[in-house]
Amino acid sequence: MNLEYFIAKRLISGKSHKNNVSGPIIKIAIAAIALGLIMMMIAIATGVGLQRKIREKVSAFNGDIQIYKFDNNTSEASVAPIDIRQEFYPDFTSVSGIKHVQGVASKWGIIRTEETFEGVNAKGVGGDYNWNTFKEYLIEGRLPDYSNSRNEEVLISAYLANRLKFKVGDSFYAFFLKENESEIPNQLKLNIVGVYESGFQEFDANYMFVDLRHIQRMNKWTSNEIGNFEVFIDDFDAIKEKGIEVYEKLPPTLDAQTIADKYYHIFEWLKLFDVNIAIIIGIMILVGGINMITALLVLILERTQMIGIIKALGSTNWSIRKVFLYNATYLIGIGIIWGNLIGLGLLLAQKHFGFIKLDPSNYYVNEAPVYINATHIIALNIGTLILCLLMLLIPSYIITKISPAKSIKFE
């Protein structure tokens, strides 16, 4: 029989403490543990969720790794064409973890209406383009289909559609400069079949999607020439290693760049979320631990006479300390249970209803994204329990200083 557990269980089930000083202090300690766990769960779920959502949006517009010619410039427009007939296309079998490769080309132009005009980056895509990443951003109409003959279908952003007063079904003219700027620009009539909104204004303000063959025709390229390849990988956490592997498998005329390097400022900003999450976790565990230390000291003070009697009967200091640590574990467990129920409830509500909105100009998303990972939740629960108990080992040492003779007379 575990004597320490038995005594602790009797103390927990007893009702005398509810009328004592320890009652409200214990409730405050439980509430602190629950509130701390809620804050930590929200910090991790929203922090990681924001990192993943922004990363997915950057990847949707650019792929995870881009392959282009060395003599290409740093602009978003395709200048030097690449022959699409490469060993790594359409299947990059020489590098593991590559799930898709697609050929694209881009060209800057102007959309002009009777009232206004907007600069736009026409991204030419073909039948190999993976639209799965864009399905969640489609808010009106449908995705264009470029798998058959060349057509004038275009996918435009809600940002551009609102500024130009366009809607699905409208047609417009886009103008693109030729290599000889003195010549009359290329004129392209396009039909809007869909409107998307990613919330990433840096991209929404510029990108529209057109048939790749229009870009090839205007640039006087053959049907086998594209601007660059976009490579998608299975595990984004390994993007640095995969970027190096891809580069090593390319012919000497081609270069590879990951989106983490291309959009360095965005991904460095995202790394700051890890620091913020760590700080929040540290503060919340410290606050919860201090409240539990206070509750434990009050419990020990209330049970001074009991401690003296148990010592007089021959119990060791460690045995008595275990009684109060069992008691503290129970209280921490209650706080953790409430923290999980409330925290997960709030996260699920945000995930399904999105009641917390964000400014896309600052955060690149319209609402706070949530990523609920069972491993994160379990690790957070176990870590909170262990760290709080470790913090309680030191104050429980006060039990060794209690004298049986004096404590039995303690009032």
Side-chain angles (χ1 to χ4, degrees):
M1 178 181 179
N2 191 330
L3 179 62
E4 295 86 358
Y5 177 75
F6 174 76
I7 297 174
K9 188 176 179 181
R10 293 299 298 270
L11 292 176
I12 292 168
S13 60
K15 298 182 180 180
S16 59
H17 71 274
K18 295 182 180 179
N19 300 320
N20 296 336
V21 178
S22 63
I25 294 177
I26 288 173
K27 291 178 182 178
I28 292 173
I30 292 174
I33 294 293
L35 183 60
L37 188 63
I38 292 169
M39 294 300 295
M40 289 186 288
M41 289 175 64
I42 291 175
I44 293 175
T46 55
V48 175
L50 189 61
Q51 288 177 321
R52 292 174 63 89
K53 182 59 67 175
I54 293 175
R55 187 178 71 197
E56 288 172 1
K57 290 183 178 183
V58 177
S59 177
F61 283 92
N62 300 273
D64 297 319
I65 304 170
Q66 292 189 337
I67 299 173
Y68 50 86
K69 272 193 173 181
F70 273 107
D71 52 355
N72 211 340
N73 61 15
T74 58
S75 71
E76 293 293 331
S78 302
V79 177
I82 305 173
D83 195 312
I84 199 171
R85 294 166 294 188
Q86 303 288 338
E87 291 184 2
F88 56 80
Y89 179 82
D91 299 315
F92 211 133
T93 56
S94 58
V95 176
S96 61
I98 303 296
K99 62 181 180 181
H100 184 64
V101 182
Q102 58 196 26
V104 299
S106 298
K107 191 173 183 67
W108 284 100
I110 295 175
I111 298 176
R112 183 179 177 181
T113 66
E114 294 181 356
E115 299 178 0
T116 185
F117 65 91
E118 286 288 333
V120 65
N121 187 357
K123 182 170 182 176
V125 301
D128 63 345
Y129 194 77
N130 181 15
W131 288 107
N132 291 332
T133 53
F134 262 88
K135 287 181 179 179
E136 65 174 298
Y137 306 139
L138 187 68
I139 61 173
E140 191 177 355
R142 61 174 177 83
L143 295 171
D145 181 12
Y146 303 133
S147 58
N148 297 314
S149 59
R150 187 179 71 192
N151 59 62
E152 285 68 44
E153 294 182 351
V154 62
L155 178 68
I156 195 170
S157 69
Y159 175 88
L160 290 173
N162 291 333
R163 290 179 64 88
L164 295 167
K165 299 180 181 179
F166 287 159
K167 62 181 184 297
V168 173
D170 287 349
S171 298
F172 63 88
Y173 286 96
F175 301 88
F176 302 88
L177 290 176
K178 296 180 179 180
E179 290 186 11
N180 185 352
E181 296 181 0
S182 62
E183 295 182 7
I184 298 175
N186 289 304
Q187 178 176 300
L188 190 62
K189 185 178 181 181
L190 299 170
N191 303 318
I192 301 174
V193 297
V195 177
Y196 75 89
E197 183 176 25
S198 71
F200 207 119
Q201 192 165 328
E202 184 175 337
F203 296 139
D204 288 0
N206 296 313
Y207 278 92
M208 71 175 182
F209 293 81
V210 301
D211 195 321
L212 172 64
R213 287 162 289 195
H214 289 302
I215 308 297
Q216 292 171 333
R217 179 181 60 83
M218 289 187 290
N219 287 347
K220 297 179 180 180
W221 294 349
T222 68
S223 59
N224 290 321
E225 291 180 316
I226 60 169
N228 62 279
F229 291 98
E230 294 179 345
V231 180
F232 293 85
I233 60 177
D234 293 323
D235 182 13
F236 190 87
D237 293 331
I239 188 170
K240 184 177 180 180
E241 294 77 11
K242 293 301 174 184
I244 295 173
E245 288 185 48
V246 167
Y247 175 75
E248 291 175 345
K249 298 296 182 180
L250 297 178
T253 57
L254 299 181
D255 190 17
Q257 183 183 41
T258 67
I259 55 172
D261 293 329
K262 183 176 182 179
Y263 298 98
Y264 179 80
H265 62 289
I266 294 177
F267 286 90
E268 283 300 304
W269 174 67
L270 291 178
K271 289 180 181 178
L272 294 177
F273 282 84
D274 295 330
V275 178
N276 296 339
I277 292 171
I279 292 174
I280 292 173
I281 290 176
I283 293 174
M284 291 298 103
I285 289 180
L286 184 62
V287 171
I290 290 174
N291 278 275
M292 282 306 305
I293 289 172
T294 304
L296 181 64
L297 291 175
V298 172
L299 287 172
I300 293 173
L301 184 64
E302 277 191 342
R303 300 293 178 176
T304 302
Q305 288 184 332
M306 185 197 78
I307 293 171
I309 294 172
I310 295 176
K311 276 193 174 185
L313 292 174
S315 290
T316 63
N317 287 321
W318 175 239
S319 178
I320 301 172
R321 290 173 72 184
K322 284 171 67 177
V323 171
F324 287 94
L325 289 176
Y326 277 132
N327 205 337
T329 303
Y330 170 77
L331 298 178
I332 295 172
I334 294 296
I336 288 176
I337 291 173
W338 278 109
N340 278 282
L341 291 175
I342 298 173
L344 287 173
L346 291 173
L347 292 176
L348 289 172
Q350 173 63 23
K351 185 174 183 178
H352 292 289
F353 301 108
F355 53 88
I356 298 178
K357 304 297 182 181
L358 296 176
D359 183 1
S361 62
N362 294 324
Y363 295 97
Y364 306 111
V365 291
N366 296 315
E367 60 186 42
V370 171
Y371 176 69
I372 301 175
N373 185 289
T375 303
H376 293 168
I377 302 299
I378 294 172
L380 192 60
N381 279 269
I382 295 175
T384 300
L385 178 62
I386 292 175
L387 290 175
C388 286
L389 285 176
L390 289 175
M391 293 174 67
L392 294 177
L393 288 175
I394 297 176
S396 69
Y397 184 73
I398 196 174
I399 292 173
T400 64
K401 303 299 181 180
I402 296 178
S403 169
K406 294 181 180 179
S407 61
I408 292 174
K409 298 179 182 179
F410 180 79
E411 293 293 340

